[in-house]
Amino acid sequence: MSFQPTPPSTIPSLKLFYSPGACSFVPHVALLEAHLPVETILARVGSMSAEFTAINPKRRVPVLVIDNEIITEMAAVLTAIHSLAPGAQLFGKSTLETIRVYEWLNWLSTVAHAQAVGSIWRSERFTNNVEHYGSIKARGMEVVQEVYEKIEGHIAETERVFAVGEGFTVVDPFFVVLYCWGFRFWFEMGDKYPAYRVYAERLLQRESFRKAREVHVDISV
């Protein structure tokens, strides 16, 4: 890589390609928590430009551009942000906490996002037969509720303020964006997942979340 963690006076140019209401909310919050200046560029899901496709042929957000380096995929983007601001401790305060952060990120990116949410909103990724879309979406709704139950149990177990350890990590905005998506699935999130509701509503009052929501206007409860 051509970049290294740098002092504030020499922070590289940062650009975050995002889509309103999408998972790109997560690295945006992380950048704000790390106090890293970033230019946000709209790459709306479903109508991505030729410019964005040239940058990321996978046509997915988030994409972080650090000077001339293009970073894709959630865990990689978040790791890159952490490398630029290690003092923010976005991946925890100990080796074990870092391990737990990656453990959650892998599960959230694969099972929660790609499998469960993807089945609901992007059924075409799983079959070429439109007649199967209904069953794929139905299974996605089942799996996403299993995801919420797991997160609810994790938070309720110790009345957690943060997902990992005693401080903010990049898992927290991922938990919160999933919570907000639940309302778009027409779930009664507050009634079904009370510990999750308290946790999410508390974090949504945090400055980084409030500022990110000004850009990601579709992140709402």
Side-chain angles (χ1 to χ4, degrees):
M1 299 298 292
S2 62
F3 67 91
Q4 297 291 332
T6 52
S9 60
T10 55
I11 289 174
S13 168
L14 301 177
K15 297 178 182 178
L16 176 69
F17 287 82
Y18 78 97
S19 183
C23 64
S24 46
F25 178 80
V26 178
H28 193 180
V29 170
L31 287 159
L32 290 166
E33 286 282 340
H35 302 289
L36 291 170
V38 62
E39 177 186 357
T40 53
I41 302 173
L42 180 64
R44 189 179 296 275
V45 172
S47 59
M48 291 174 169
S49 67
E51 175 195 6
F52 179 77
T53 302
I55 291 170
N56 182 20
K58 290 179 279 188
R59 295 175 59 83
R60 307 240 180 131
V61 293
V63 173
L64 182 67
V65 180
I66 305 177
D67 287 336
N68 295 318
E69 294 287 346
I70 298 169
I71 314 295
T72 67
E73 304 301 329
M74 182 67 78
V77 167
L78 295 172
T79 300
I81 295 168
H82 168 64
S83 76
L84 294 171
Q89 299 181 312
L90 299 176
F91 277 69
K93 300 178 181 179
S94 68
T95 300
L96 180 58
E97 287 185 6
T98 300
I99 291 167
R100 294 303 183 201
V101 166
Y102 275 111
E103 184 177 47
W104 276 112
L105 284 181
N106 285 333
W107 183 79
L108 291 166
S109 294
T110 56
V111 175
H113 193 188
Q115 180 185 344
V117 176
S119 295
I120 299 168
W121 285 340
R122 300 286 182 266
S123 303
E124 69 278 3
R125 292 177 181 172
F126 298 88
T127 181
N128 292 322
N129 190 336
V130 296
E131 294 180 0
H132 295 164
Y133 285 7
S135 61
I136 291 170
K137 290 179 180 178
R139 179 54 182 153
M141 293 290 276
E142 293 174 353
V143 176
V144 82
Q145 290 179 85
E146 294 170 4
V147 166
Y148 291 148
E149 288 166 5
K150 178 177 176 62
I151 295 173
E152 169 74 12
H154 175 71
I155 295 168
E157 182 180 1
T158 56
E159 298 182 347
R160 288 181 175 273
V161 175
F162 298 103
V164 177
E166 301 301 321
F168 173 93
T169 69
V170 292
V171 178
D172 292 301
F174 215 145
F175 273 12
V176 169
V177 80
L178 282 167
Y179 177 83
C180 293
W181 287 346
F183 292 91
R184 295 164 67 179
F185 304 141
W186 301 102
F187 295 151
E188 295 293 335
M189 296 298 290
D191 294 336
K192 294 187 69 172
Y193 313 106
Y196 198 178
R197 174 184 61 79
V198 171
Y199 162 90
E201 290 182 351
R202 181 192 300 117
L203 282 173
L204 284 167
Q205 298 305 309
R206 197 174 174 95
E207 183 179 8
S208 58
F209 285 77
R210 289 191 287 104
K211 287 185 175 180
R213 289 175 77 187
E214 292 174 4
V215 175
H216 293 258
V217 292
D218 290 348
I219 297 294
S220 58
V221 296

